[in-house]
Amino acid sequence: MFTHIFFDLDGTLTDPAQGITNSFIHALKFYGMEIPSYEELCKLIGPPLPYSFETTFGFDHDKAMQAVAKYREYFSTKGLFENKVYPGIPELLQTLKEQGKHLLVATSKPEEYSIKIINHFGLSKYFDFVCGSLMDESRSKKSEVIAYALDCAGLGKADKEKVLMVGDRFHDVEGAKANGLKSCGVLFGYGSRRELQDAGADYIVKSVKELSALILGSV
């Protein structure tokens, strides 16, 4: 059914919790702010950074962009690799490639960092393109990243029914819908079933095994 699979990165291909939470702590300490619990910080995994600093901590745009720079002081040198691939993901990607699927990464994380992470974990051989935001936080909305990925893949309006967007947060689902794509929410990441249902996910799976079955049409 689907020939092109777009994967979110954080919370879908890899578990980035340690690096992301440490980077938020680094930034918040700069402002002398009370540090939220680990569980609260994990809720910030997925959305664009300016959005998180503005909506969660009440920063205005300029302060949020300064906070992003402080976050990246830590992330660019340490947090980037405080990360791990979810069990079963390499095997899934290998199987999908063997079945002739075209795989792309579509993430709100800066493309520069995303490529480094994909390369670090030996996953680059599976992907046609790694598509992310720019370092100035432009193209950070998920709808913009997905539109860019469609363009990179050379896919037009007639091809959209062949594309599935896979992610763990409501931004992935909303970004897919904005581009006329089907979406699959995964529950092994950082979004809840309620969040994904409310956003309108077409499919929701609990595991990598279920995701594989869905894509390969064996359910």
Side-chain angles (χ1 to χ4, degrees):
M1 178 166 52
F2 299 111
T3 60
H4 291 71
I5 317 298
F6 291 3
F7 286 93
D8 177 42
L9 179 56
D10 292 342
T12 303
L13 295 175
T14 69
D15 182 352
Q18 183 183 357
I20 288 179
T21 56
N22 283 341
S23 299
F24 271 110
I25 289 169
H26 178 81
L28 296 174
K29 282 183 175 179
F30 174 77
Y31 295 101
M33 296 177 63
E34 181 178 351
I35 305 302
S37 69
Y38 176 79
E39 290 73 22
E40 289 299 313
L41 289 173
C42 282
K43 293 178 182 178
L44 304 178
I45 297 172
L49 291 173
Y51 172 89
S52 293
F53 281 114
E54 290 170 8
T55 60
T56 302
F57 302 108
F59 289 10
D60 61 27
H61 177 72
D62 289 344
K63 188 175 181 180
M65 294 306 293
Q66 181 190 50
V68 169
K70 298 304 294 184
Y71 172 103
R72 288 180 177 159
E73 284 181 356
Y74 184 94
F75 189 82
S76 63
T77 58
K78 296 180 181 179
L80 190 66
F81 304 121
E82 292 177 335
N83 200 341
K84 55 187 178 183
V85 179
Y86 282 115
I89 285 294
E91 293 81 2
L92 169 64
L93 300 177
Q94 178 69 35
T95 298
L96 295 180
K97 287 297 287 185
E98 289 173 352
Q99 294 296 317
K101 306 297 184 184
H102 294 277
L103 311 181
L104 290 83
V105 174
T107 174
S108 293
K109 185 182 290 298
E111 194 169 288
E112 178 181 326
Y113 294 156
S114 302
I115 291 172
K116 288 181 179 179
I117 292 168
I118 292 296
N119 288 340
H120 176 73
F121 289 114
L123 302 179
S124 58
K125 60 187 176 183
Y126 301 118
F127 293 101
D128 296 343
F129 299 97
V130 176
C131 304
S133 65
L134 301 178
M135 292 298 286
D136 63 1
E137 290 301 318
S138 60
R139 202 172 67 212
S140 64
K141 291 182 179 179
K142 206 51 180 272
S143 58
E144 297 171 336
V145 174
I146 292 173
Y148 171 58
L150 287 167
D151 186 54
C152 287
L155 298 173
K157 291 183 179 179
D159 302 308
K160 289 187 175 183
E161 64 182 20
K162 303 175 184 177
V163 182
L164 179 68
M165 177 68 212
V166 180
D168 68 315
R169 300 301 306 273
F170 70 91
H171 302 83
D172 301 304
V173 176
E174 292 179 348
K177 290 175 70 174
N179 284 279
L181 306 182
K182 296 287 188 182
S183 63
C184 177
V186 300
L187 296 178
F188 52 82
Y190 288 89
S192 67
R193 181 179 291 275
R194 179 64 180 272
E195 174 184 330
L196 295 168
Q197 286 177 333
D198 288 350
D202 297 286
Y203 311 97
I204 298 177
V205 298
K206 294 184 292 185
S207 65
V208 174
K209 184 178 180 180
E210 283 189 14
L211 178 60
S212 176
L214 171 68
I215 296 171
L216 296 174
S218 58
V219 293

